[in-house]
Amino acid sequence: TAGGTREAIDPVRFLSNHSSGKMGYAIAEAARDRGASVFLVSTANLPDPVGVDILRVSSTAEMQKVVVKQCETADVLLMAAAVSDWRPADVAEQKMKKKSGEDKWNLSLVRNSDIVGSIEGKKLIKVGFAAESQRLKQNARKKLKSKGLHLVVGNDITAEDSGFGSDNNRVVLIGIDGRAEDLGLLTKYQTAYRILDKVVSLLG
Ligand code: CTP
């Protein structure tokens, strides 16, 4: 998966995040180059990678539906998408108008389900990402456990030379044994390649 999910507020507004989708696309391209059959579920407006099946979605619920279906036959799920944890409790059918004198607006949100955390597949290898602004390794390890991942890719979103929108990334890989491997500054494609090295070893 790639990109940030979008949760509609009304016909013109949505809640989302800064994910560009580049990391997810780099994984799709690197996996393709290594001979995998790739299905990319994307919210991003990037050019379609050649030789990859792609389906564009918008909301978390839409993404979940496609991921669940694909995982019936997939060997590996790589969840690079930045999934919105919340969505507006109600989606207005018409554009919401401000009323005169109103200087505050409370938006009520409800929880989305955790796509990677709730998906089950006996042999499915699950790779998740942990985008953190503090305590990177600690938070990434927590996500590895709570979401039942085989591998977590942690990245520090405060780093200036990598992350959102950049062609580079600086990640740490943490496997089930808890050992952390810092990959240092790499292009997103190189990062993808290194993630896939781990996936290949997990596939046995
Ligand atoms: N993820 C998911 N479904 C969600 C939220 C996240 O599948 N509803 C996946 C992401 O694609 C990523 C991993 O879970 O692979 C971690 O996402 P992240 O946004 O870092 O963490 P959260 O679970 O949202 O936790 P928090 O916001 O509390 O840091």
Side-chain angles (χ1 to χ4, degrees), residues 60 79 81 83-85 113-116 128-132 143 147:
T60 302
M79 266 316 283
V83 180
S84 177
D85 293 319
S113 48
D114 185 332
I115 302 176
V116 74
F129 280 68
E132 307 296 340
K143 284 178 186 170
K147 292 171 190 268

Side-chain angles (χ1 to χ4, degrees), residues 1 3 5 60 63 77-86 111-118 127-132 139 143 146-147 149 152-153 155:
T1 62
T5 55
T60 302
M63 180 172 278
L77 168 62
L78 293 123
M79 266 316 283
V83 180
S84 177
D85 293 319
W86 305 94
R111 270 293 272 277
N112 275 330
S113 48
D114 185 332
I115 302 176
V116 74
S118 60
V127 180
F129 280 68
E132 307 296 340
N139 284 326
K143 284 178 186 170
S146 67
K147 292 171 190 268
L149 306 174
V152 65
V153 183
N155 69 327

